Amino acid sequence: MILDVKGLDVDYVSAKGAVRAVNDVSFQLRRGEILGVAGESGCGKSTLIMAIMRLLRPPAALTGGEVWLHPRDGEPVDLAARTDRELRTLRWRRIAVVLQSAMDALNPVARLSAQFADVLKAHGYRDAGKRTAELLEMVGISPDRARSYPHEMSGGMRQRAMIALALACDPELVVMDEPTTAVDVVMQRQILSQILQLRDRLGFSVVFVTHDLSLLVELADRIAVMYAGRIVEIGEAAGIYADPKHPYTKGLRDSFPPLRAPVTKLSGIPGTPPALRDLPPGCAFEPRCARRFGDCAERRPELLPVGGGLAACHLHDRERAHV
Amino acid sequence: MSDIPILAAEDVTKHFESRDGVGRHVTVRAVENVTLRLHRGRIAALVGESGSGKTTLARLLAQFYPVTSGRILLRGEPVTGPDRRFAGEVQLVFQDPFASLNSLRRVEHNLRRALKLHAHPAGDEHVRELLGKVNLTPEAEFARKLPHELSGGQRQRVAIARALAVRPSVLLGDEPISMLDVSIRLDVLNLLARLRDEEGLALLYITHDIASARYLSDDVFVMYAGQMVEGGPAESVIQEPKHPYTRLLVDSSPDPERAAGSSAFTAAEKLGEPPSLVDPPPGCRFHPRCPFARDECRTEFPPRTEFPDGGWTNCWLHVTRPEDTPTP
């Protein structure tokens, strides 16, 4: 295990009071594993990984929980309890992040080589030029591109440069926030296959956040589905797709028309996600759920074992009671 | 399906004059000799990567700017420029429903304005009828809302209702669902399908999402770097792509049913990116990325080859040359 997140809470604080964007989120990440986090806008998936990376900025604040990083050599550290100074020794070397918009994440007035050198020198690499060339080659960018400014590169190339930069100091955990949303399908495919190959070669673990569940099924080992700030289901990728236990997961899955299977009329999920400020007392998905019953509206389901994974849904209360 | 298309682009080319980074004059060859015909009661999907010319073609069809050469035909008649009558027939739905509505005005104002501009009755009941058509119920309640009080999917439905207000015969949708949340995209697609079936609209659906093109459309057209490379019935184009670029697009699309490790993508890794439209490669513009490229691909754009299933492609791989035909 490399990461153990326990009961994480994140609040957005405003004059009208706090809004809980991430609510009691717990999960574990195995070494070398790719965990996909899927959900719609506002479900808290980006906030979750910013919290894990300790990159939250006001008005967002980490208000509870633990984020235990288990380095391959050395004692476990609770990232949630470290100061910024302490985190500096972990960032890049242990944990790294790839953000959604490579254009905004790269410095527009510095050549790639300078941006790589910044990171490499701060972490004690003597021959930054050689390492930069090596990293760019790893993601299929010609090393002479190191002299380019970000605006001279295509969107796909910038995104790959961001991935190379994240891998600069050989981190154990790489967190990626929609790294392929802004690029075309062909480039998306190239980037994903590179991530898989690099993971196999270098052995890092990945938390990969996206709204595209169909993509995760091919990429991730396990998938966590978030809704209204909570994980509502988590399990093996193939199982989540073939046999989702939560009606929201099923609805999300059935929102993607098939590429090859016969086309039937699909309907998506009726309604829209609830406002976080005004969550229903029971299951947050209850107002949109076709299978709601009994006290779904009053009693919030806990995330409990079902099949091989975990799901937060009262539909499984009875089978659990029989076990 | 009537034989005369409602709206057609016949052999259109669009070049933009621009300046490069150091101020030199350049020509961007955005669309080259493209033909696309839209028929009543049918949905045509236009797919391709960004920069392939999809949006430029839609804007040429909508008369946003003039063609460099070729013709735009409305019901078989050449269109001379954007006027009220043309706008009454051809409407666009944009990608971003957060930018396409007047955010200071209520939904009813947004809709009523389109009704009035096109001299249609604009009473409350007409506004409510439009909202009903796009499933925004209760209509009276939605009519009173401001755009920021609506979700993305609801806004996009208001944008579609506004397009319908002019009673068009053609709707051009430029990535109409790509900014919407996953769970509500199908809602909008199903709405478009209903407008085709019930109102007989001719629809152009521009997307980079191959699976949604297959779900919604009757025909699929594929553009690459400004050239139209393949077209035909949706199922045949997507299940049996004839052009290597179409195959690359389909193989690159997410497909949860695909067996792990069976993908063609490992090969896709070194395929590079689409060319510059300022200085595009001669011949078939896909040839630098094409694993099957031959000499003629580098010099001349291939002629069209038609197939029995109604599909066609412009690819030298499918051109039977006289010397290939055995002489009896």
Side-chain angles (χ1 to χ4, degrees), chain A residues 165-184:
Chain A
L165 188 56
L167 300 177
C169 306
D170 203 13
E172 294 174 63
L173 170 65
V174 185
V175 165
M176 303 187 180
D177 188 7
E178 307 244 14
T180 62
T181 342
V183 301
D184 276 306

Side-chain angles (χ1 to χ4, degrees), chain B residues 145-178:
Chain B
K145 286 197 191 264
L146 286 162
H148 73 84
E149 296 173 296
L150 304 175
S151 70
Q154 291 168 343
R155 277 180 219 216
Q156 196 60 296
R157 281 186 277 169
V158 172
I160 293 170
R162 184 180 56 184
L164 295 177
V166 312
R167 300 179 198 161
S169 43
V170 180
L171 211 54
L172 307 172
D174 191 358
E175 303 258 13
I177 60 163
S178 63

Side-chain angles (χ1 to χ4, degrees), chain A residues 247-287:
Chain A
Y248 176 65
T249 312
K250 186 172 182 304
L252 207 54
R253 178 195 71 177
D254 295 340
S255 295
F256 293 93
L259 192 63
R260 307 236 176 240
V263 175
T264 50
K265 185 162 180 187
L266 302 170
S267 56
I269 305 172
T272 46
L276 292 174
R277 192 177 290 286
D278 189 22
L279 284 181
C283 172
F285 187 60
E286 184 269 346

Side-chain angles (χ1 to χ4, degrees), chain A residues 39-53:
Chain A
E40 298 179 87
S41 33
C43 73
K45 56 191 191 301
S46 292
T47 305
L48 168 67
I49 61 169
M50 292 307 257
I52 292 171
M53 297 303 290

Side-chain angles (χ1 to χ4, degrees), chain A:
Chain A
M1 185 169 58
I2 173 134
L3 190 68
D4 189 4
V5 177
K6 294 177 178 171
L8 202 66
D9 292 330
V10 179
D11 286 355
Y12 280 80
V13 186
S14 77
K16 288 190 208 162
V19 172
R20 185 142 292 184
V22 172
N23 205 334
D24 192 20
V25 165
S26 303
F27 67 89
Q28 296 180 338
L29 182 68
R30 299 166 202 151
R31 194 163 282 283
E33 182 181 45
I34 298 182
L35 173 73
V37 180
E40 298 179 87
S41 33
C43 73
K45 56 191 191 301
S46 292
T47 305
L48 168 67
I49 61 169
M50 292 307 257
I52 292 171
M53 297 303 290
R54 289 288 310 276
L55 289 170
L56 292 173
R57 291 282 170 270
L62 212 166
T63 47
E66 296 162 21
V67 181
W68 287 95
L69 180 76
H70 295 256
R72 56 175 98 78
D73 40 19
E75 291 299 299
V77 256
D78 179 9
L79 299 176
R82 299 290 121 176
T83 62
D84 277 345
R85 179 184 290 270
E86 290 167 323
L87 288 169
R88 207 169 295 158
T89 62
L90 299 169
R91 287 192 174 134
W92 297 97
R93 281 197 165 280
R94 302 287 192 201
I95 58 176
V97 65
V98 178
L99 297 169
Q100 181 170 1
S101 168
M103 194 62 201
D104 302 336
L106 290 169
N107 182 343
V109 295
R111 296 180 198 275
L112 269 192
S113 52
Q115 306 190 41
F116 276 75
D118 257 1
V119 174
L120 290 167
K121 288 193 174 140
H123 291 276
Y125 284 82
R126 253 169 272 140
D127 195 346
K130 182 161 162 267
R131 177 71 178 152
T132 303
E134 194 178 293
L135 289 163
L136 289 177
E137 252 176 348
M138 235 157 51
V139 295
I141 299 177
S142 159
D144 52 28
R145 275 292 190 165
R147 289 191 46 76
S148 301
Y149 288 96
H151 72 87
E152 295 171 320
M153 303 188 293
S154 71
M157 206 182 273
R158 283 195 293 264
Q159 201 63 59
R160 282 182 290 161
M162 283 296 297
I163 293 172
L165 188 56
L167 300 177
C169 306
D170 203 13
E172 294 174 63
L173 170 65
V174 185
V175 165
M176 303 187 180
D177 188 7
E178 307 244 14
T180 62
T181 342
V183 301
D184 276 306
V185 296
V186 178
M187 180 52 66
Q188 166 169 295
R189 186 52 71 178
Q190 296 180 30
I191 291 176
L192 296 183
S193 83
Q194 254 159 10
I195 292 172
L196 281 170
Q197 285 179 15
L198 290 169
R199 188 271 310 253
D200 292 346
R201 207 170 100 202
L202 305 172
F204 53 82
S205 316
V206 179
V207 179
F208 189 102
V209 166
T210 178
H211 66 277
D212 192 343
L213 182 64
S214 68
L215 192 90
L216 284 183
V217 177
E218 284 183 84
L219 176 76
D221 301 304
R222 278 189 310 146
I223 295 174
V225 178
M226 285 188 75
Y227 190 77
R230 291 177 186 272
I231 291 180
V232 295
E233 180 164 4
I234 182 167
E236 300 295 324
I240 289 262
Y241 182 76
D243 184 19
K245 301 294 184 194
H246 197 289
Y248 176 65
T249 312
K250 186 172 182 304
L252 207 54
R253 178 195 71 177
D254 295 340
S255 295
F256 293 93
L259 192 63
R260 307 236 176 240
V263 175
T264 50
K265 185 162 180 187
L266 302 170
S267 56
I269 305 172
T272 46
L276 292 174
R277 192 177 290 286
D278 189 22
L279 284 181
C283 172
F285 187 60
E286 184 269 346
R288 303 173 76 188
C289 185
R291 303 194 60 191
R292 61 174 179 256
F293 66 98
D295 53 359
C296 286
E298 278 81 49
R299 206 161 49 86
R300 190 173 54 73
E302 296 294 327
L303 191 60
L304 295 169
V306 192
L310 304 170
C313 178
H314 288 311
L315 284 172
H316 306 290
D317 289 353
R318 199 166 307 145
E319 55 191 270
R320 276 194 208 101
H322 286 299
V323 175

